[in-house]
Amino acid sequence: MSKKKKKQAKPTKESGMGRFLASSQFAIVRGAFYVLLSVYAFVAIVSYTLAYIHYGFEPSGAVNWCGTLGGWLSRLLVSGSFGIASLGLCFLLFVYGLRLIAKNRKSNSEKAPRRTLWGDDHLFRKTLWSTLFWVMWLSTTIGWLANPDKGDQYTLGAALSGVVGTELARVLNSLLHIGFPILLLFLACLFLVLVHGVHIKLPERKEKPQEKAVSPVVEEDEEEEEEEADEEKKPGFFARLFHRTPIDEESDDEDDEEKEGADFEPDSPLDDIVIDRVGKRRTEKEVKTEDKNEDEDENKSVNDERVTFSIDDEFDRINSKAGRPGEPASDSVGGPIFTVMEGGNKELPPDNGEEAMEADDYRAHYGIDEPYDPKLDLKDFQMPNTDILEDWEQKNVKVSKEELVANKDRIVDTLRDYGIEVTEISAQPGPTVTLYKIKPARGVRISKIQGLENDIALSLAALGIRIIAPIPGESNIGIEVPNAKPQIVAMKTMLESEEFRKAKMELPVAFGKTISNECFVTDLAKMPHLLMAGATGTGKSVGLNAVLASLLYTKHPSELKLVLIDPKKVEFSLYSKIERHYLAVMPDELGKDPDKREPVITDVKKVVRTLNSLCIEMDTRYDLLKAAKVRKITEYNEKFCKRMLNPDNGHRYLPYIVVVIDEFGDLIMTVGKEVELPICRLAQLARAVGIHLIIATQRPTTNIITGTIKANFPARVAFRVTSGIDSKTILDTGGAQQLIGRGDMLISLAGKDLVRLQCALIDTPEIERLVQFIGDQRGYAEGEGFVLPEYLDENDAPNKEFDAKSKDEFFNDAARLVVASQFGSTSLLQRKLSLGYNRAGRIIDQLEAAGIVDPYNGSKARDVLIKDEVTLEELLRTL
């Protein structure tokens, strides 16, 4: 007996494995695998085709979206078989996988199989043979269109038609010649007519059958339901124009009718209940809208969406609304049912009640209904358009295929001379340089390739190459080779690009294009400060102009103020025309003759005063943010625009302030620490209050760019420099000494990987037209624009003794104004009393000597010592 049991155990194990392989669960797993494989092959073919079109030659597996395996699979399916028509094979595999999943899911359920592409055997077989025919036909047609006479397999058309299509087209074309395209057209038409059953048939309009006389409301309901059912059953216009003859569908139609009869009974009592309730609701609506046009009702019934519910769901919904079954439905029940039957549920926007009431309370407090808009001061201001800029890219010459292939061969040969084999290589052309991605053989050290930098440059006869070993995020080594004819990146193209126009940034800046010809746009508010360096003539000034142009094209004068510091006196002189729009001025510039005014700061002594004045502005803004209980400028301005902050308490709209300093090395050599200390303070603290610095120098040495400055400037831009030491000073790494100049630059944002760009070009005539367009428009009146707070040096300390004989005639008015506003500043007296800066400053000194305002305290504004007008009047009588 034991032997018999042992003999029976083995078949039981084998039959269990056989049952698993034949089970529906394993079939579902196979179907899912086929679906995923078809999607993978589809993506690989699309990637292979796009790469072939982009590069002009057969791409390697490294550039395929699906990796090396995807590159091999796409090369086999496209070039090695049916070309781009192999997508039809992916479709068949996808449908077959869904068919396995659907059939085995149906086998586990009691529901009858639905008539679909993956559920009907006849329809699947028809789709299979039809797809195979069209794959062959499309492959052969592309092969004939691409190259009817020559069997060249290295052209793009030959690759898209595949080996099968190319060879078949070559043979048939040599046999039939002009008859070959006629044969292709005849086979296509024959297949459409015989297999697909396509023939032209004009649409016919059927007359509506007469219905039995019923009540008006029920009659209209039944007519509309029948019309909607007919609309759902009738095919569209093109389906009626090309009528498709059904083949062997009688049995399927009978099954569908039996299935519909089992799921839905028109004579069921629930259907009568729904119709009665809808009819009651429609009766009320008919009374209100009996004068409306019938055409509008028909259009509404056709355009509205239909939402389908099951009978059980509808019954539960009616009971939940009405209370109990059998109770009469109220209007609230009829309303939603009618809405669902006509047009579906329409979602309402969320109701932010608390926030809206809070804003309304503040607006009611100030007696204003609308939120504050800072642009209303210059409501007629028009932003400049790009028509005033030049399109330099029209003269560009693209990199030729011959140049790419020649450089690729030279790189491979040079590496092979030193015993380094390359398995894959691809080219990515850019505006200035081309990036060649190589994948060395196993066992090759990266340092060995890095040591051949000069040898590769010698073999290519290039100005200088740059090796990226390895490329971040890839298993390749990059070799950047300058193009024979560099291209120009126009500022007009950058400003019109989708990346710039749709950028959701506070201060968007368009620098230029990357190696892959993508527009590089970044946010100055997130940098938050920028350090630029480069030798003379490498494009540093053009880079500064590109930054300024980007800001002028996006920000309104009420949202942005510029402080331009130019020790050379010629770089930013053109921007003096937009003084009344964008430039922030010092108080001592007010009241001067326009010819003697200097909106662009060129005097070194004024530079120190301006930077210290910006420190005072920074401290004042932090006090405002503290009072408003917010952390950054965007939150503060949002509160102020909602009128949640009282302007009587000193609150005001805060525009962004961008400080641009050119020739920073000259300032350090002239004044040294007096400039470095306020710059470091601004760089450390000014980000949250909307003050951003841009510093440029042509001497990136350690005594100019100190460690303190580098620590507070995380964003850095390097143009071509003379040595690797200067490159390490500005970027903390080498590479800038290998740039080719003329706008070729490297940018590093907050410690991220270096990005090589071709800076956008905006020439001097373009800047002149830009500032002229802005300057010709109405600007702020004198004193109404943005005035920086006053700053007094130790040499400007006032005399503490009050002399009644030298008292100014506006002294009493100024004292009353300061006490009433509880804010003492020179700019306040200038605006309210129409005084010059010097006279207002002397009055402030007299107020301090009289004990009305406190002494000058550097970065803090003066406080008013007298709090009421009664005490002030007694003091004035005493004086």
Side-chain angles (χ1 to χ4, degrees):
M1 296 295 291
S2 60
K3 291 182 179 180
K4 291 182 179 180
K5 290 182 181 180
K6 291 181 180 179
K7 290 181 180 179
Q8 293 177 357
K10 186 175 181 180
T12 303
K13 184 176 180 181
E14 293 178 356
S15 62
M17 178 61 69
R19 283 197 303 271
F20 172 75
L21 296 178
S23 63
S24 59
Q25 289 83 358
F26 182 74
I28 292 175
V29 172
R30 282 195 302 139
F33 173 76
Y34 293 151
V35 170
L36 295 178
L37 180 61
S38 64
V39 174
Y40 181 84
F42 178 86
V43 175
I45 292 174
V46 172
S47 175
Y48 177 89
T49 306
L50 295 178
Y52 207 118
I53 295 173
H54 179 72
Y55 294 114
F57 53 86
E58 186 174 15
S60 61
V63 299
N64 197 287
W65 297 339
C66 296
T68 305
L69 179 60
W72 173 83
L73 180 62
S74 60
R75 190 183 302 110
L76 176 64
L77 292 176
V78 179
S79 298
S81 58
F82 299 100
I84 193 65
S86 299
L87 293 174
L89 303 180
C90 299
F91 169 73
L92 288 179
L93 185 61
F94 181 83
V95 173
Y96 181 69
L98 292 181
R99 178 180 172 82
L100 285 178
I101 296 174
K103 274 198 167 186
N104 288 276
R105 288 185 62 187
K106 292 169 187 173
S107 64
N108 296 331
S109 61
E110 297 180 359
K111 295 183 180 180
R114 298 179 61 187
R115 186 176 177 275
T116 57
L117 182 59
W118 44 82
D120 185 79
D121 294 333
H122 171 74
L123 188 58
F124 177 75
R125 288 195 298 271
K126 179 180 176 181
T127 304
L128 173 64
W129 293 111
S130 301
T131 306
L132 291 178
F133 170 80
W134 288 116
V135 166
M136 288 291 299
W137 185 89
L138 182 60
S139 176
T140 307
T141 304
I142 296 176
W144 173 74
L145 293 174
N147 203 348
D149 296 325
K150 299 179 181 179
D152 190 1
Q153 299 181 2
Y154 297 99
T155 62
L156 177 60
L160 295 182
S161 63
V163 175
V164 177
T166 303
E167 293 298 325
L168 189 59
R170 183 176 60 83
V171 173
L172 292 178
N173 185 68
S174 62
L175 293 176
L176 302 176
H177 200 57
I178 193 63
F180 180 49
I182 299 176
L183 176 63
L184 291 175
L185 182 60
F186 172 77
L187 289 176
C189 296
L190 186 65
F191 200 86
L192 288 173
V193 173
L194 296 182
V195 179
H196 295 286
V198 176
H199 66 276
I200 298 177
K201 182 179 179 181
L202 296 177
E204 298 178 0
R205 185 173 182 179
K206 298 181 180 181
E207 297 180 359
K208 297 180 181 179
Q210 296 181 356
E211 298 179 355
K212 297 180 180 181
V214 290
S215 62
V217 176
V218 177
E219 182 179 0
E220 287 183 1
D221 293 339
E222 293 177 353
E223 288 178 1
E224 289 186 5
E225 291 176 358
E226 290 178 359
E227 289 176 3
E228 292 173 353
D230 292 337
E231 288 294 329
E232 293 179 353
K233 293 179 181 178
K234 283 194 297 184
F237 174 76
F238 290 98
R240 284 178 284 153
L241 184 62
F242 297 98
H243 177 67
R244 299 186 178 183
T245 305
I247 301 176
D248 297 337
E249 295 180 353
E250 296 179 358
S251 59
D252 296 331
D253 294 338
E254 292 176 0
D255 295 337
D256 294 340
E257 291 176 1
E258 292 177 2
K259 187 165 55 177
E260 291 175 1
D263 294 339
F264 180 77
E265 296 180 2
D267 297 331
S268 62
L270 180 60
D271 188 62
D272 296 335
I273 292 174
V274 175
I275 293 177
D276 291 342
R277 291 176 181 175
V278 175
K280 179 179 179 181
R281 181 64 178 178
R282 287 181 60 81
T283 303
E284 297 175 358
K285 185 177 180 181
E286 184 68 20
V287 174
K288 297 180 182 179
T289 61
E290 58 184 0
D291 295 333
K292 289 188 176 180
N293 194 355
E294 295 180 359
D295 294 335
E296 297 179 358
D297 297 335
E298 291 178 1
N299 293 332
K300 182 177 180 182
S301 64
V302 172
N303 294 330
D304 287 341
E305 299 177 354
R306 292 183 58 85
V307 182
T308 304
F309 294 97
S310 66
I311 298 299
D312 296 335
D313 295 339
E314 189 70 19
F315 185 75
D316 295 339
R317 192 171 67 85
I318 293 172
N319 289 339
S320 63
K321 294 289 184 180
R324 297 190 186 94
E327 292 185 0
S330 61
D331 293 342
S332 61
V333 178
I337 297 178
F338 178 76
T339 303
V340 170
M341 295 296 290
E342 285 286 334
N345 292 325
K346 297 181 179 180
E347 298 180 358
L348 296 176
D351 185 13
N352 300 329
E354 297 181 359
E355 183 178 352
M357 290 188 61
E358 184 179 11
D360 291 340
D361 293 340
Y362 280 100
R363 293 173 190 171
H365 174 73
Y366 293 110
I368 302 175
D369 296 333
E370 298 180 355
Y372 174 75
D373 186 4
K375 299 180 181 179
L376 292 180
D377 292 339
L378 296 179
K379 60 181 180 179
D380 298 331
F381 181 81
Q382 296 181 0
M383 302 298 294
N385 52 41
T386 57
D387 295 337
I388 60 179
L389 302 180
E390 295 288 342
D391 190 3
W392 301 100
E393 298 188 7
Q394 293 181 354
K395 304 177 182 179
N396 287 340
V397 178
K398 294 185 178 180
V399 183
S400 62
K401 180 180 177 181
E402 292 76 9
E403 181 182 350
L404 296 177
V405 175
N407 289 339
K408 180 187 68 172
D409 295 338
R410 290 171 185 170
I411 292 174
V412 174
D413 294 340
T414 303
L415 295 177
R416 190 173 296 163
D417 292 341
Y418 291 92
I420 300 175
E421 293 294 333
V422 177
T423 59
E424 294 180 4
I425 183 170
S426 61
Q428 190 174 8
T432 304
V433 298
T434 299
L435 176 62
Y436 293 89
K437 298 180 180 180
I438 64 174
K439 190 170 186 178
R442 295 175 60 89
V444 178
R445 292 184 178 182
I446 296 179
S447 59
K448 189 175 181 180
I449 299 178
Q450 287 178 326
L452 299 176
E453 181 176 338
N454 296 330
D455 299 286
I456 296 175
L458 179 63
S459 64
L460 296 175
L463 296 177
I465 66 171
R466 177 170 170 262
I467 296 180
I468 309 173
I471 298 176
E474 299 183 17
S475 59
N476 298 321
I477 296 176
I479 300 178
E480 294 176 349
V481 179
N483 298 332
K485 296 181 179 179
Q487 299 177 4
I488 299 176
V489 177
M491 194 67 197
K492 180 178 182 179
T493 305
M494 296 296 302
L495 298 178
E496 293 177 350
S497 63
E498 294 290 332
E499 292 85 351
F500 184 80
R501 290 190 296 107
K502 296 183 179 180
K504 297 181 180 180
M505 302 177 181
E506 296 297 329
L507 297 174
V509 176
F511 275 107
K513 289 187 177 181
T514 62
I515 295 179
S516 57
N517 278 306
E518 296 178 355
C519 296
F520 187 87
V521 181
T522 185
D523 192 359
L524 180 60
K526 293 182 179 180
M527 288 187 184
H529 310 294
L530 179 63
L531 182 62
M532 300 178 66
T536 304
T538 58
K540 177 168 46 58
S541 299
V542 176
L544 292 176
N545 290 326
V547 174
L548 293 175
S550 301
L551 298 177
L552 294 178
Y553 266 93
T554 53
K555 307 304 289 186
H556 190 269
S558 61
E559 302 172 331
L560 173 69
K561 298 300 174 184
L562 301 174
V563 177
L564 304 180
I565 299 175
D566 181 19
K568 278 200 307 188
K569 304 180 181 181
V570 294
E571 290 294 339
F572 297 145
S573 59
L574 295 175
Y575 295 96
S576 60
K577 296 181 181 179
I578 59 174
E579 172 194 359
R580 296 185 180 273
H581 300 83
Y582 285 99
L583 298 188
V585 298
M586 291 292 291
D588 55 357
E589 294 292 328
L590 300 177
K592 285 186 177 181
D593 192 308
D595 297 334
K596 298 181 180 180
R597 190 178 300 169
E598 294 182 357
V600 178
I601 303 169
T602 58
D603 189 2
V604 177
K605 295 181 179 179
K606 290 184 179 180
V607 172
V608 178
R609 296 170 61 93
T610 302
L611 294 176
N612 285 282
S613 177
L614 287 169
C615 292
I616 299 175
E617 174 68 18
M618 177 187 68
D619 294 333
T620 304
R621 290 190 173 199
Y622 268 113
D623 292 337
L624 295 177
L625 265 63
K626 178 183 177 182
K629 295 180 175 58
V630 294
R631 299 180 61 184
K632 54 185 180 180
I633 185 174
T634 53
E635 299 174 356
Y636 178 87
N637 286 335
E638 183 180 359
K639 263 191 170 183
F640 186 83
C641 290
K642 290 182 178 179
R643 301 190 183 274
M644 301 173 65
L645 302 175
N646 191 352
D648 296 337
N649 296 333
H651 291 289
R652 53 190 169 89
Y653 185 83
L654 301 180
Y656 284 96
I657 301 177
V658 178
V659 185
V660 184
I661 304 176
D662 193 16
E663 298 298 338
F664 179 69
D666 182 71
L667 293 179
I668 292 295
M669 293 177 60
T670 306
V671 290
K673 294 294 182 180
E674 295 183 21
V675 171
E676 184 179 357
L677 291 178
I679 284 179
C680 293
R681 191 163 182 267
L682 289 172
Q684 291 172 353
L685 302 174
R687 171 183 181 178
V689 292
I691 301 177
H692 304 279
L693 304 177
I694 300 176
I695 294 178
T697 180
Q698 62 180 356
R699 295 182 57 197
T701 55
T702 54
N703 59 340
I704 301 298
I705 303 177
T706 62
T708 306
I709 293 179
K710 287 180 59 177
N712 294 288
F713 283 80
R716 302 167 193 174
V717 171
F719 293 88
R720 190 174 189 274
V721 294
T722 56
S723 63
I725 298 176
D726 293 343
S727 177
K728 292 181 179 180
T729 303
I730 183 68
L731 296 175
D732 294 330
T733 184
Q737 76 278 7
Q738 298 165 337
L739 300 176
I740 62 175
R742 298 181 61 85
D744 192 15
M745 55 179 274
L746 293 173
I747 183 171
S748 173
L749 300 178
K752 297 182 180 179
D753 297 326
L754 292 178
V755 180
R756 190 167 185 174
L757 305 174
Q758 176 61 36
C759 184
L761 173 63
I762 178 169
D763 205 1
T764 302
E766 298 177 78
I767 300 175
E768 290 179 349
R769 291 194 294 267
L770 174 61
V771 297
Q772 189 67 36
F773 179 86
I774 298 174
D776 290 343
Q777 303 185 56
R778 185 179 68 88
Y780 294 101
E782 184 175 359
E784 294 181 0
F786 190 83
V787 182
L788 294 174
E790 60 177 341
Y791 172 78
L792 297 178
D793 297 331
E794 296 179 357
N795 300 328
D796 300 331
N799 187 8
K800 299 299 181 64
E801 298 180 359
F802 178 77
D803 187 5
K805 296 181 180 180
S806 61
K807 184 177 67 173
D808 193 277
E809 58 179 344
F810 284 98
F811 176 82
N812 294 343
D813 295 335
R816 295 186 181 95
L817 176 62
V818 168
V819 173
S821 61
Q822 288 295 305
F823 185 79
S825 67
T826 305
S827 59
L828 176 65
L829 301 183
Q830 288 180 269
R831 293 194 301 270
K832 298 299 183 180
L833 301 179
S834 300
L835 301 176
Y837 174 76
N838 296 330
R839 187 174 184 182
R842 288 194 300 269
I843 294 177
I844 286 292
D845 296 341
Q846 293 177 2
L847 293 175
E848 177 189 347
I852 299 176
V853 297
D854 67 343
Y856 176 75
N857 190 16
S859 61
K860 294 184 179 180
R862 297 173 184 258
D863 293 333
V864 181
L865 303 178
I866 297 179
K867 304 301 180 183
D868 58 272
E869 295 182 359
V870 177
T871 306
L872 175 63
E873 295 298 332
E874 293 179 358
L875 178 61
L876 293 179
R877 285 196 297 269
T878 304
L879 295 176

